[in-house]
Amino acid sequence: MSSVSSLNALLASGLIGSSASSTTAIDLSSLLQAATGASSEGINVTSAVGAALYADRAPERQWQAQQSTISSQVSALTTLQSALSAVSQDLNKLSDATGSLASRTVSSSSAQVTGAATAGVTVGTHSVTVASLATDASWYSAPVPNAGSALGTSTLTISASGGTQATFTTGAGINSIADLANSINSASLGINASVVTDATGARLALVSSTTGSAADFSVSYGASGSGSWSSASVASSSTQLQASSFQITDGSANTGVAVNAGETISDLANDINLQATGVSASVVSDSSGVHLQITSTDGNTVSLSADPMFDLTRASTATNASLTVDGIPVSSASNTVTGVVQGLTLNLAGTTAANSPTTLTIAANDNQISQALSTFVSDYNTALTQVNSQFAYNTSSGSQGALSGDSIVRSLQSMLEGIVSYTAPAGGSGGSTTIQSLADLGITVNDDGSLALNTTTLDSVIANPGALQTFFQGTALNGFAQQFSTQLSEFADPATGAIAKEISNLNQQYSGLQSQVNDYESGYIASQQTVLTAMYSKAEIALQQLPAEMQQIQSQLGNNSSKN
């Protein structure tokens, strides 16, 4: 009899906690030892209740064992789903008409012309001769002291080759070349304006944003009519000027003025005063340095065709590139030439001699094709290994994988092993005259069902990328890759595939079992724990009182012990 049963019997007999006397001597120490199983008093209530509840939780342990099995199955299926997803992605790339199998490389016989080809371009060679490159248009001004130096009261006119004109009036809001550059850029004329600073000072630079004759433009900077006119500022009256010429108009008289290189602004003022009538020229100091001031002496309007302090010089004219491709003359506004050979882009970096054309060779991208097939073989083997491992017998555990009894996985195994024996119809729909099986590509099947890639065999067929694409893609996406992908999606599709559905069903079963565990705990186990805790606590109290009651009884019966 267990200690708990003995104690319950003792309590039920009324011997513990009873005031009744007996004519028979009773060894309560022996009774206590028999009741508790030890010479020391007391019951571990927590352990006693736990032991009783352990037996009550037997159904829970069965449910939890089922949950453990389900967890193992879900984990195995999830891992398998991931492996199959990698194979599916490989097949998508192989079936993509613009993917790895269609990738092309372009090699060039010179650095003057290079190229890039879009996927699927016909392999072959092309001859390119470049007579001239496409150029942009550019202008620059005479230097002024700095980017903030004052500009005269003039107008800058920009005329594009298409007839478009834009004017910018300086001296009224646009007071410096920095202001002028910002205004030109804000006008969105297809011209990039900037301030170039060097040892000579600051200059305005204008460059067309594109090349080609349509991007060409011209500029002029001169004064419009007023009673007086101010030039742009230069550093000092001794600053040497660039050679230029301009016209001074005073109502009825036009005076041509030539500026010799090396002349100063003071020299120019003297020349004007000697040559022109009706105007007076002087050098005026300002915050930026000095400027030329021309004032009418007869009340007429003064205007200048150009500002000698801010002369603008053309640096280059925008022109088209001139080249021949396979003997065909081509004019291009850009040095990046497209549309001459479909899918081929030419990048022009320099001119070539007429008798020494550049040869461009378009070929299949061997590295990408080899890598794509190598990745497919590797991912296929990984997926097949995971499937096969579910049916392998483990001698240590004496069992198979978590999915050994899964009919879906067994069907998947059969599909994977069967699809690699695919044979394309020779020359028919989706067929090829040279590549009809994976073996023709150097992909063979090992004894364990895994695949092996012979790169030597593969290298020999890459030279014919069209046949390679036909095998995998067919004539209308009906080749090996599409057929394999279609079969694989029945298992591996993340939304509708058999594996995804099975994972969902298993998760539902797991949740249902967890609900049973929760309900059993909150219902039956919780109430049992309350009852058992109260019962064993009462027994513990009784045992704690037992020694004192035993002494009292022995004392009462001690005089009668000689009669026993």
Side-chain angles (χ1 to χ4, degrees):
M1 175 181 286
S2 70
S3 61
V4 174
S5 300
S6 299
L7 181 59
N8 288 338
L10 186 60
L11 290 171
S13 70
L15 291 176
I16 297 178
S18 172
S19 61
S21 61
S22 172
T23 58
T24 304
I26 300 174
D27 186 352
L28 293 182
S29 295
S30 298
L31 279 175
L32 180 59
Q33 186 172 3
T36 62
S39 60
S40 60
E41 304 90 31
I43 296 176
N44 187 325
V45 174
T46 300
S47 297
V49 172
L53 291 180
Y54 178 80
D56 289 335
R57 285 193 169 103
E60 282 188 21
R61 289 192 291 277
Q62 293 180 356
W63 298 331
Q64 289 167 342
Q66 294 176 40
Q67 284 183 308
S68 179
T69 299
I70 290 174
S71 294
S72 298
Q73 292 172 334
V74 170
S75 177
L77 286 169
T78 301
T79 301
L80 180 57
Q81 176 87 318
S82 178
L84 295 176
S85 176
V87 177
S88 180
Q89 291 175 13
D90 297 338
L91 292 171
N92 288 339
K93 293 177 181 178
L94 293 172
S95 63
D96 184 357
T98 61
S100 300
L101 299 184
S103 179
R104 300 289 184 262
T105 61
V106 180
S107 59
S108 174
S109 63
S110 76
Q112 281 70 36
V113 185
T114 58
T118 58
V121 172
T122 303
V123 299
T125 61
H126 299 277
S127 178
V128 182
T129 301
V130 181
S132 64
L133 295 177
T135 60
D136 54 27
S138 61
W139 291 75
Y140 63 92
S141 72
V144 295
N146 55 64
S149 296
L151 291 177
T153 53
S154 297
T155 299
L156 175 69
T157 301
I158 299 177
S159 302
S161 59
T164 303
Q165 282 192 341
T167 58
F168 304 87
T169 301
T170 61
I174 302 176
N175 301 317
S176 66
I177 60 172
D179 293 340
L180 183 56
N182 290 334
S183 296
I184 294 171
N185 288 332
S186 298
S188 300
L189 300 173
I191 297 172
N192 298 320
S194 62
V195 177
V196 177
T197 303
D198 58 18
T200 65
R203 288 173 292 168
L204 177 69
L206 304 176
V207 182
S208 61
S209 56
T210 59
T211 58
S213 58
D216 197 44
F217 66 95
S218 61
V219 296
S220 61
Y221 186 70
S224 55
S226 61
S228 64
W229 174 83
S230 298
S231 74
S233 297
V234 295
S236 69
S237 58
S238 61
T239 299
Q240 293 185 347
L241 305 179
Q242 296 178 357
S244 64
S245 62
F246 59 94
Q247 294 282 331
I248 299 177
T249 301
D250 175 38
S252 59
N254 291 326
T255 303
V257 180
V259 182
N260 298 316
E263 278 191 319
T264 66
I265 189 172
S266 296
D267 295 334
L268 179 58
N270 291 333
D271 290 344
I272 293 173
N273 288 331
L274 290 173
Q275 297 179 53
T277 58
V279 298
S280 172
S282 61
V283 178
V284 179
S285 297
D286 57 35
S287 59
S288 302
V290 297
H291 66 267
L292 180 68
Q293 183 81 32
I294 299 178
T295 305
S296 173
T297 59
D298 55 12
N300 291 327
T301 297
V302 176
S303 63
L304 273 74
S305 63
D307 183 347
M309 307 301 105
F310 198 66
D311 192 28
L312 288 152
T313 302
R314 178 188 280 276
S316 65
T317 301
T319 59
N320 289 342
S322 177
L323 64 155
T324 59
V325 180
D326 297 332
I328 301 172
V330 176
S331 178
S332 172
S334 170
N335 290 316
T336 301
V337 183
T338 60
V340 181
V341 177
Q342 185 175 4
L344 177 64
T345 297
L346 303 177
N347 300 306
L348 311 182
T351 59
T352 61
N355 60 351
S356 182
T358 295
T359 300
L360 295 180
T361 302
I362 303 174
N365 192 328
D366 296 4
N367 289 336
Q368 282 201 23
I369 294 175
S370 180
Q371 183 60 50
L373 294 181
S374 178
T375 299
F376 163 71
V377 168
S378 176
D379 289 341
Y380 174 90
N381 288 342
T382 297
L384 183 65
T385 297
Q386 291 186 9
V387 171
N388 291 343
S389 68
Q390 299 302 317
F391 306 107
Y393 183 78
N394 188 320
T395 55
S396 299
S397 63
S399 62
Q400 294 179 301
L403 304 175
S404 59
D406 194 312
S407 61
I408 292 176
V409 178
R410 181 67 73 180
S411 297
L412 173 62
Q413 183 186 50
S414 298
M415 186 277 291
L416 290 175
E417 292 175 345
I419 191 64
V420 294
S421 62
Y422 168 87
T423 300
S429 177
S432 168
T433 57
T434 57
I435 301 175
Q436 295 180 320
S437 67
L438 292 176
D440 292 334
L441 299 171
I443 300 176
T444 55
V445 182
N446 298 319
D447 292 340
D448 62 355
S450 63
L451 301 180
L453 176 62
N454 185 315
T455 55
T456 301
T457 303
L458 178 60
D459 290 343
S460 67
V461 299
I462 286 179
N464 186 359
L468 194 67
Q469 281 186 264
T470 300
F471 173 76
F472 280 102
Q473 300 171 10
T475 55
L477 292 180
N478 54 354
F480 169 80
Q482 185 60 42
Q483 293 200 29
F484 191 174
S485 181
T486 299
Q487 294 184 42
L488 188 61
S489 66
E490 296 178 3
F491 295 92
D493 188 283
T496 61
I499 293 177
K501 291 180 180 179
E502 185 170 8
I503 290 175
S504 177
N505 290 334
L506 288 172
N507 284 333
Q508 290 178 8
Q509 292 177 36
Y510 186 97
S511 297
L513 289 168
Q514 188 60 50
S515 295
Q516 288 181 263
V517 170
N518 295 342
D519 293 344
Y520 193 72
E521 279 287 326
S522 62
Y524 179 73
I525 294 298
S527 63
Q528 278 295 93
Q529 186 171 17
T530 300
V531 171
L532 291 172
T533 299
M535 183 181 73
Y536 286 114
S537 295
K538 179 180 178 182
E540 168 65 8
I541 294 171
L543 285 176
Q544 293 297 331
Q545 295 172 345
L546 188 58
E549 292 182 359
M550 181 179 64
Q551 290 178 0
Q552 180 181 3
I553 293 172
Q554 286 178 337
S555 175
Q556 291 174 351
L557 300 179
N559 294 333
N560 299 327
S561 61
S562 61
K563 296 180 182 181
N564 296 329

